[in-house]
Amino acid sequence: MISPHPVVSLDDVCVTFRTGHGAARREVRAMSHVSFDVAPGKTLGLVGESGSGKSTTGMVVLGLQRPDSGSVRFDGAPMARSLRSRAGRMQAVLQHPRWAIDPRSTVLGAVLEPLLVHERRTRACEQRALSMLEQVGLTEAFASRRPHQLSGGQLQRVSVARALVTHPSFIVFDEAVSALDVSVQAQILNLIQDLQAEHGFAALFISHDLAAVRYIAHDVAVMRSGEIVEHAPTDVFYEMPTHPYSRQLFQELTS
């Protein structure tokens, strides 16, 4: 049954970081009155230049950064402060899988790790992890390999499998394809689309790559200096962006 409410909802969220000391002390507004919803089974693409506040937004929706003001709701309820209470229900796939996966772990161990937060290791758990590896296109032969034995694209498939093995309702993809070759990017984007259609998770796809966002997102939000300056369905946005900054991003893409 489809949930009647957004999986994630931000309402007027502000986040300010304070840096320096004494006369050099200053405040940096990373998020300024940010509001958006992400519906079940849908992907919101969040685009903007480096330093625009995209990754801070990802941290906020995952509950890893508390806002100074505004509210964050997850599955229709206020975001719980306890990370353990939502373990497995929210996941992330990051830009560099080699940073996120223990180099000493096997592929099977890496995919099993999120399951072991609440469960002990059993054969059933292992079968669930192996099944997830198969769903991302990696055979059981990969289970005993170490990260250094895999290509970047294969490692990102492991990251996707690890994110999905707990059947989360929400996943943040933070520059998840930007470190990959163009041909491999397309494979991972297709994989994410297929898995979303099968599992129904909602997603925030953070990227500076407008082409990747166009391919995968149902809606697009453009972020600049901590603010959402434009938010529209993908087909509407790419037909005619309305904000000058959005048009500037388009010019940079096509130049």
Side-chain angles (χ1 to χ4, degrees), residues 3-238:
S3 171
H5 48 69
V7 178
V8 164
S9 182
L10 270 62
D11 183 23
D12 203 33
V13 168
C14 296
V15 174
T16 300
F17 295 123
R18 293 161 182 84
T19 63
H21 301 279
R25 185 177 177 83
R26 66 189 186 98
E27 294 187 346
V28 177
R29 181 62 66 90
M31 295 176 67
S32 183
H33 305 287
V34 171
S35 300
F36 61 74
D37 297 332
V38 187
K42 300 296 183 181
T43 296
L44 172 64
L46 185 62
V47 302
E49 297 172 311
S50 296
S52 60
K54 304 188 304 298
S55 290
T56 300
T57 303
M59 296 285 280
V60 167
V61 299
L62 288 169
L64 301 176
Q65 171 67 51
R66 290 183 60 190
D68 300 320
S69 60
S71 65
V72 183
R73 298 181 70 84
F74 173 56
D75 277 345
M79 179 74 78
R81 292 189 180 184
S82 168
L83 293 175
R84 189 173 181 84
S85 68
R86 55 182 182 276
R89 300 168 62 205
M90 309 180 89
Q91 296 284 14
V93 177
L94 306 178
Q95 179 177 2
H96 298 290
R98 294 189 193 278
W99 296 355
I101 297 174
D102 186 342
R104 300 164 297 180
S105 174
T106 63
V107 166
L108 178 60
V111 178
L112 272 171
E113 187 177 4
L115 289 175
L116 303 183
V117 173
H118 291 300
E119 305 176 43
R120 63 184 181 88
R121 183 165 179 165
T122 63
R123 184 58 185 163
C125 283
E126 291 181 358
Q127 284 300 127
R128 186 167 162 185
L130 289 170
S131 175
M132 199 67 247
L133 281 172
E134 185 176 349
Q135 288 184 54
V136 301
L138 298 176
T139 66
E140 189 169 342
F142 284 88
S144 60
R145 297 186 188 180
R146 306 283 177 176
H148 72 273
Q149 297 175 298
L150 275 62
S151 68
Q154 290 168 340
L155 266 179
Q156 200 61 299
R157 288 175 185 269
V158 174
S159 293
V160 172
R162 187 169 68 167
L164 274 168
V165 75
T166 58
H167 302 304
S169 55
F170 182 72
I171 303 177
V172 172
F173 296 91
D174 192 351
E175 299 286 4
V177 298
S178 63
L180 304 175
D181 293 338
V182 173
S183 61
V184 181
Q185 284 184 15
Q187 294 171 18
I188 298 299
L189 291 173
N190 285 329
L191 175 66
I192 293 169
Q193 280 188 327
D194 292 344
L195 291 170
Q196 186 177 50
E198 180 176 352
H199 295 277
F201 58 83
L204 178 67
F205 188 85
I206 299 171
S207 181
H208 65 277
D209 186 342
L210 283 173
V213 169
R214 183 176 192 172
Y215 189 79
I216 201 167
H218 299 90
D219 296 277
V220 180
V222 180
M223 200 164 200
R224 183 186 189 189
S225 301
E227 297 182 16
I228 300 292
V229 297
E230 187 165 356
H231 188 174
T234 301
D235 54 349
V236 173
F237 175 78
Y238 282 87

